[in-house]
mmCIF file of all heavy atoms in Angstrom:
data_model
loop_
_atom_site.group_PDB
_atom_site.id
_atom_site.type_symbol
_atom_site.label_atom_id
_atom_site.label_comp_id
_atom_site.label_asym_id
_atom_site.label_seq_id
_atom_site.Cartn_x
_atom_site.Cartn_y
_atom_site.Cartn_z
ATOM 1 N N VAL Y 22 8.466 24.542 8.016
ATOM 2 C CA VAL Y 22 9.368 24.360 6.889
ATOM 3 C C VAL Y 22 9.130 25.492 5.899
ATOM 4 O O VAL Y 22 8.023 26.027 5.824
ATOM 5 C CB VAL Y 22 9.168 22.993 6.190
ATOM 6 C CG1 VAL Y 22 9.660 21.861 7.070
ATOM 7 C CG2 VAL Y 22 7.722 22.758 5.807
ATOM 8 N N PHE Y 23 10.185 25.893 5.197
ATOM 9 C CA PHE Y 23 10.017 26.940 4.197
ATOM 10 C C PHE Y 23 10.999 26.741 3.056
ATOM 11 O O PHE Y 23 11.984 26.015 3.177
ATOM 12 C CB PHE Y 23 10.186 28.333 4.812
ATOM 13 C CG PHE Y 23 11.583 28.622 5.280
ATOM 14 C CD1 PHE Y 23 12.487 29.271 4.455
ATOM 15 C CD2 PHE Y 23 11.991 28.247 6.547
ATOM 16 C CE1 PHE Y 23 13.770 29.534 4.883
ATOM 17 C CE2 PHE Y 23 13.280 28.511 6.987
ATOM 18 C CZ PHE Y 23 14.175 29.154 6.150
ATOM 19 N N THR Y 24 10.698 27.382 1.942
ATOM 20 C CA THR Y 24 11.559 27.307 0.763
ATOM 21 C C THR Y 24 11.373 28.558 -0.076
ATOM 22 O O THR Y 24 10.354 29.241 0.029
ATOM 23 C CB THR Y 24 11.244 26.055 -0.082
ATOM 24 O OG1 THR Y 24 12.224 25.923 -1.099
ATOM 25 C CG2 THR Y 24 9.875 26.124 -0.709
ATOM 26 N N ILE Y 25 12.364 28.841 -0.881
ATOM 27 C CA ILE Y 25 12.292 29.925 -1.858
ATOM 28 C C ILE Y 25 12.605 29.331 -3.217
ATOM 29 O O ILE Y 25 13.606 28.636 -3.388
ATOM 30 C CB ILE Y 25 13.297 31.047 -1.541
ATOM 31 C CG1 ILE Y 25 12.991 31.661 -0.182
ATOM 32 C CG2 ILE Y 25 13.289 32.101 -2.651
ATOM 33 C CD1 ILE Y 25 14.038 32.634 0.306
ATOM 34 N N VAL Y 26 11.740 29.591 -4.177
ATOM 35 C CA VAL Y 26 11.959 29.143 -5.546
ATOM 36 C C VAL Y 26 12.041 30.394 -6.412
ATOM 37 O O VAL Y 26 11.134 31.218 -6.401
ATOM 38 C CB VAL Y 26 10.805 28.237 -6.037
ATOM 39 C CG1 VAL Y 26 10.983 27.890 -7.506
ATOM 40 C CG2 VAL Y 26 10.713 26.985 -5.195
ATOM 41 N N ASP Y 27 13.142 30.538 -7.130
ATOM 42 C CA ASP Y 27 13.267 31.665 -8.050
ATOM 43 C C ASP Y 27 13.894 31.191 -9.353
ATOM 44 O O ASP Y 27 14.172 30.010 -9.532
ATOM 45 C CB ASP Y 27 14.057 32.822 -7.429
ATOM 46 C CG ASP Y 27 15.495 32.444 -7.103
ATOM 47 O OD1 ASP Y 27 15.985 31.410 -7.606
ATOM 48 O OD2 ASP Y 27 16.122 33.182 -6.351
ATOM 49 N N ARG Y 28 14.104 32.107 -10.256
ATOM 50 C CA ARG Y 28 14.631 31.742 -11.580
ATOM 51 C C ARG Y 28 15.978 31.035 -11.505
ATOM 52 O O ARG Y 28 16.274 30.173 -12.310
ATOM 53 C CB ARG Y 28 14.745 32.973 -12.451
ATOM 54 C CG ARG Y 28 13.432 33.506 -12.900
ATOM 55 C CD ARG Y 28 13.664 34.739 -13.768
ATOM 56 N NE ARG Y 28 12.402 35.336 -14.128
ATOM 57 C CZ ARG Y 28 11.779 35.084 -15.267
ATOM 58 N NH1 ARG Y 28 12.289 34.242 -16.133
ATOM 59 N NH2 ARG Y 28 10.635 35.667 -15.527
ATOM 60 N N SER Y 29 16.805 31.402 -10.535
ATOM 61 C CA SER Y 29 18.128 30.773 -10.452
ATOM 62 C C SER Y 29 18.013 29.283 -10.156
ATOM 63 O O SER Y 29 18.781 28.477 -10.678
ATOM 64 C CB SER Y 29 18.990 31.465 -9.402
ATOM 65 O OG SER Y 29 18.443 31.296 -8.110
ATOM 66 N N ILE Y 30 17.055 28.901 -9.334
ATOM 67 C CA ILE Y 30 16.841 27.486 -9.021
ATOM 68 C C ILE Y 30 16.318 26.731 -10.239
ATOM 69 O O ILE Y 30 16.658 25.586 -10.480
ATOM 70 C CB ILE Y 30 15.876 27.336 -7.824
ATOM 71 C CG1 ILE Y 30 16.553 27.866 -6.567
ATOM 72 C CG2 ILE Y 30 15.408 25.910 -7.651
ATOM 73 C CD1 ILE Y 30 15.639 27.994 -5.379
ATOM 74 N N LEU Y 31 15.482 27.417 -11.020
ATOM 75 C CA LEU Y 31 14.884 26.789 -12.194
ATOM 76 C C LEU Y 31 15.749 26.908 -13.439
ATOM 77 O O LEU Y 31 15.381 26.417 -14.500
ATOM 78 C CB LEU Y 31 13.515 27.429 -12.470
ATOM 79 C CG LEU Y 31 12.472 27.244 -11.369
ATOM 80 C CD1 LEU Y 31 11.259 28.104 -11.656
ATOM 81 C CD2 LEU Y 31 12.081 25.790 -11.241
ATOM 82 N N HIS Y 44 6.493 27.244 -10.697
ATOM 83 C CA HIS Y 44 7.132 27.724 -9.470
ATOM 84 C C HIS Y 44 6.397 27.212 -8.228
ATOM 85 O O HIS Y 44 7.027 26.773 -7.258
ATOM 86 C CB HIS Y 44 7.170 29.254 -9.456
ATOM 87 C CG HIS Y 44 8.107 29.845 -10.448
ATOM 88 N ND1 HIS Y 44 9.199 30.582 -10.083
ATOM 89 C CD2 HIS Y 44 8.129 29.799 -11.803
ATOM 90 C CE1 HIS Y 44 9.847 30.979 -11.155
ATOM 91 N NE2 HIS Y 44 9.207 30.515 -12.221
ATOM 92 N N MET Y 47 6.991 23.439 -7.730
ATOM 93 C CA MET Y 47 8.331 23.177 -7.221
ATOM 94 C C MET Y 47 8.410 23.543 -5.737
ATOM 95 O O MET Y 47 9.035 22.832 -4.953
ATOM 96 C CB MET Y 47 9.378 23.944 -8.010
ATOM 97 C CG MET Y 47 10.782 23.685 -7.518
ATOM 98 S SD MET Y 47 12.015 24.394 -8.599
ATOM 99 C CE MET Y 47 12.501 22.911 -9.456
ATOM 100 N N ALA Y 48 7.770 24.630 -5.341
ATOM 101 C CA ALA Y 48 7.772 25.035 -3.930
ATOM 102 C C ALA Y 48 7.104 23.968 -3.065
ATOM 103 O O ALA Y 48 7.615 23.609 -1.995
ATOM 104 C CB ALA Y 48 7.074 26.377 -3.761
ATOM 105 N N GLN Y 51 9.429 21.004 -2.717
ATOM 106 C CA GLN Y 51 10.532 21.278 -1.802
ATOM 107 C C GLN Y 51 10.059 21.285 -0.344
ATOM 108 O O GLN Y 51 10.767 20.792 0.540
ATOM 109 C CB GLN Y 51 11.211 22.601 -2.158
ATOM 110 C CG GLN Y 51 12.013 22.512 -3.429
ATOM 111 C CD GLN Y 51 12.764 23.792 -3.751
ATOM 112 O OE1 GLN Y 51 12.724 24.766 -3.016
ATOM 113 N NE2 GLN Y 51 13.451 23.788 -4.878
ATOM 114 N N LEU Y 52 8.860 21.816 -0.080
ATOM 115 C CA LEU Y 52 8.317 21.763 1.283
ATOM 116 C C LEU Y 52 8.155 20.312 1.723
ATOM 117 O O LEU Y 52 8.483 19.959 2.858
ATOM 118 C CB LEU Y 52 6.967 22.479 1.364
ATOM 119 C CG LEU Y 52 6.963 23.990 1.296
ATOM 120 C CD1 LEU Y 52 5.521 24.504 1.335
ATOM 121 C CD2 LEU Y 52 7.777 24.598 2.428
ATOM 122 N N GLU Y 55 11.558 18.792 2.616
ATOM 123 C CA GLU Y 55 12.036 19.300 3.908
ATOM 124 C C GLU Y 55 11.271 18.661 5.066
ATOM 125 O O GLU Y 55 11.849 18.309 6.091
ATOM 126 C CB GLU Y 55 11.929 20.829 3.968
ATOM 127 C CG GLU Y 55 12.896 21.547 3.056
ATOM 128 C CD GLU Y 55 14.351 21.203 3.346
ATOM 129 O OE1 GLU Y 55 14.747 21.223 4.539
ATOM 130 O OE2 GLU Y 55 15.096 20.916 2.394
ATOM 131 N N GLU Y 70 3.922 33.297 -0.849
ATOM 132 C CA GLU Y 70 4.162 34.706 -1.176
ATOM 133 C C GLU Y 70 4.774 34.674 -2.568
ATOM 134 O O GLU Y 70 5.773 33.978 -2.786
ATOM 135 C CB GLU Y 70 5.159 35.338 -0.210
ATOM 136 C CG GLU Y 70 4.742 35.307 1.237
ATOM 137 C CD GLU Y 70 3.922 36.514 1.633
ATOM 138 O OE1 GLU Y 70 3.988 37.527 0.916
ATOM 139 O OE2 GLU Y 70 3.234 36.426 2.653
ATOM 140 N N ALA Y 79 11.065 36.240 -11.239
ATOM 141 C CA ALA Y 79 9.931 35.676 -10.540
ATOM 142 C C ALA Y 79 10.403 34.904 -9.335
ATOM 143 O O ALA Y 79 11.518 34.398 -9.308
ATOM 144 C CB ALA Y 79 9.146 34.755 -11.466
ATOM 145 N N GLY Y 80 9.547 34.807 -8.347
ATOM 146 C CA GLY Y 80 9.913 34.041 -7.176
ATOM 147 C C GLY Y 80 8.724 33.658 -6.336
ATOM 148 O O GLY Y 80 7.682 34.302 -6.385
ATOM 149 N N VAL Y 81 8.886 32.589 -5.572
ATOM 150 C CA VAL Y 81 7.858 32.111 -4.652
ATOM 151 C C VAL Y 81 8.531 31.791 -3.327
ATOM 152 O O VAL Y 81 9.542 31.096 -3.292
ATOM 153 C CB VAL Y 81 7.169 30.828 -5.182
ATOM 154 C CG1 VAL Y 81 6.220 30.253 -4.142
ATOM 155 C CG2 VAL Y 81 6.435 31.093 -6.476
ATOM 156 N N LEU Y 82 7.980 32.319 -2.263
ATOM 157 C CA LEU Y 82 8.369 31.938 -0.910
ATOM 158 C C LEU Y 82 7.208 31.125 -0.371
ATOM 159 O O LEU Y 82 6.056 31.582 -0.420
ATOM 160 C CB LEU Y 82 8.605 33.168 -0.027
ATOM 161 C CG LEU Y 82 8.730 32.906 1.464
ATOM 162 C CD1 LEU Y 82 10.007 32.144 1.767
ATOM 163 C CD2 LEU Y 82 8.689 34.197 2.243
ATOM 164 N N ALA Y 83 7.475 29.927 0.095
ATOM 165 C CA ALA Y 83 6.420 29.069 0.627
ATOM 166 C C ALA Y 83 6.814 28.589 2.016
ATOM 167 O O ALA Y 83 7.994 28.302 2.278
ATOM 168 C CB ALA Y 83 6.188 27.870 -0.290
ATOM 169 N N SER Y 84 5.837 28.536 2.903
ATOM 170 C CA SER Y 84 6.080 28.007 4.244
ATOM 171 C C SER Y 84 4.869 27.195 4.658
ATOM 172 O O SER Y 84 3.771 27.356 4.139
ATOM 173 C CB SER Y 84 6.331 29.136 5.237
ATOM 174 O OG SER Y 84 5.207 29.979 5.333
#
Side-chain angles (χ1 to χ4, degrees):
V22 290
F23 67 94
T24 188
I25 299 172
V26 175
D27 63 16
R28 288 180 185 265
S29 65
I30 293 170
L31 297 171
H44 290 244
M47 181 171 258
Q51 288 184 2
L52 287 178
E55 291 302 313
E70 301 271 340
V81 173
L82 168 68
S84 62

